[in-house]
Amino acid sequence: MLERFEQERRRLAAGETLRREGDRVDRLFVVRSGVCYSHSTQRDGKRQLAQVYLPGDVIGMSDVVFARSRFSVAAAGRSVVCPFPKTALDEIFVGAPRLAALLFSLGMAANAVLADRMRVVARMGARQRVVHFLLELWSRQRVGGRAEHGLVSVPLTQQLIGDAIGLSNVYVNRALGELRREGSIQRLSGRRLQLLQREAMQREVEFVDRYAALDLSWFAPQQGMWNDVFNTVPLPRRIQMIEFDSDEAA
């Protein structure tokens, strides 16, 4: 089902806008490669970055219940997204309830991460905000196996990081420099960082890895007529199933 949603592909250049604030929400997008972000523009012209979308994320889930988008969405770098109609979500909820439960769970986890970031921005200084944001990226990338051993990809510019945590790029640069000098992080090639003192950084900002604490035990077991048939009926009779009328199948 997910593969069908990713059949159409759209390439985005760095900085290209995918959707503008106020546009109709009639399509969602799976991020196949690259990184995108959602943002809003305040009256004073400042930009507030809301969410960062990594490969595998679905852009637009938070706007599904609205007719028009609350945020603009743009590509942080060269990216590929796969658009699909919002109405296709009905297929997931009806035909793949476990997948629907997973999307719901990830959406709730994303809301928890945003709440944590709001707490950090409201109560902590520049250094702690940067540390928390790096740990947030590490946590999310670790879900897909892309951040083992403290490695984290930082696909955003310092300006975009600042827009996410309420800092100027100057303060972000100073905080990163301080972390490097004290040996907490090490800059690697390809926009990557090594979190050398990850556990100490987590204690400093009271970081909670929300994605490591997901409880998926409530998901319904994978059941259904076709699963039962294919698990219990010998192969020759599977082919004969297409000859049954509806009463016989019941």
Side-chain angles (χ1 to χ4, degrees):
M1 184 175 288
L2 290 177
E3 287 176 351
R4 286 195 289 111
F5 290 160
E6 297 185 27
Q7 287 180 353
E8 182 183 349
R9 298 181 185 179
R10 175 177 171 183
R11 298 184 181 277
L12 301 172
E16 183 176 348
T17 297
L18 177 64
R19 172 186 288 163
R20 297 189 183 279
E21 186 176 352
D23 285 353
R24 288 198 61 83
V25 181
D26 53 6
R27 294 196 299 175
L28 284 75
F29 306 85
V30 178
V31 181
R32 187 167 183 86
S33 64
V35 176
C36 297
Y37 62 93
S38 61
H39 65 93
S40 60
T41 302
Q42 302 173 0
R43 291 184 178 180
D44 58 6
K46 293 182 179 180
R47 179 176 52 190
Q48 178 64 53
L49 191 149
Q51 289 190 336
V52 179
Y53 297 100
L54 304 175
D57 287 342
V58 180
I59 299 173
M61 288 296 294
S62 61
D63 282 336
V64 164
V65 297
F66 302 108
R68 298 191 177 274
S69 177
R70 297 174 299 151
F71 301 101
S72 298
V73 179
R78 289 188 299 175
S79 305
V80 177
V81 298
C82 305
F84 65 92
K86 182 169 72 170
T87 53
L89 287 177
D90 183 60
E91 296 183 39
I92 295 179
F93 282 94
V94 174
R98 287 172 61 82
L99 178 56
L102 179 61
L103 291 176
F104 175 83
S105 299
L106 293 176
M108 294 301 99
N111 286 340
V113 169
L114 285 176
D116 288 342
R117 195 192 305 167
M118 290 174 59
R119 172 183 60 83
V120 170
V121 169
R123 299 185 178 182
M124 296 187 181
R127 170 199 165 93
Q128 287 74 27
R129 297 187 199 183
V130 171
V131 167
H132 193 277
F133 190 75
L134 293 178
L135 290 170
E136 178 186 323
L137 287 177
W138 170 80
S139 169
R140 295 187 57 202
Q141 293 173 19
R142 192 168 64 92
V143 174
R146 299 186 298 271
E148 295 301 323
H149 308 298
L151 285 174
V152 58
S153 174
V154 186
L156 305 177
T157 64
Q158 292 182 6
Q159 182 62 59
L160 288 174
I161 294 175
D163 291 342
I165 56 179
L167 296 173
S168 69
N169 60 338
V170 174
Y171 277 99
V172 173
N173 183 271
R174 288 177 181 174
L176 290 172
E178 179 182 344
L179 291 169
R180 286 196 301 269
R181 288 190 296 271
E182 70 181 31
S184 293
I185 65 174
Q186 179 182 0
R187 186 186 296 275
L188 304 175
S189 61
R191 288 182 173 270
R192 295 181 303 156
L193 293 176
Q194 178 83 47
L195 307 183
L196 300 174
Q197 303 292 333
R198 179 175 52 80
E199 293 183 357
M201 294 165 68
Q202 289 177 296
R203 290 193 296 270
E204 178 182 353
V205 298
E206 300 178 356
F207 179 78
V208 178
D209 188 348
R210 300 298 181 185
Y211 291 94
L214 293 182
D215 177 16
L216 309 182
S217 63
W218 58 274
F219 285 17
Q222 188 159 342
Q223 296 177 347
M225 184 189 75
W226 290 109
N227 286 327
D228 293 341
V229 168
F230 286 119
N231 287 333
T232 60
V233 179
L235 180 60
R237 293 196 57 189
R238 297 182 192 173
I239 301 174
Q240 295 172 11
M241 283 291 293
I242 62 174
E243 301 173 358
F244 288 179
D245 61 29
S246 58
D247 292 335
E248 289 176 322

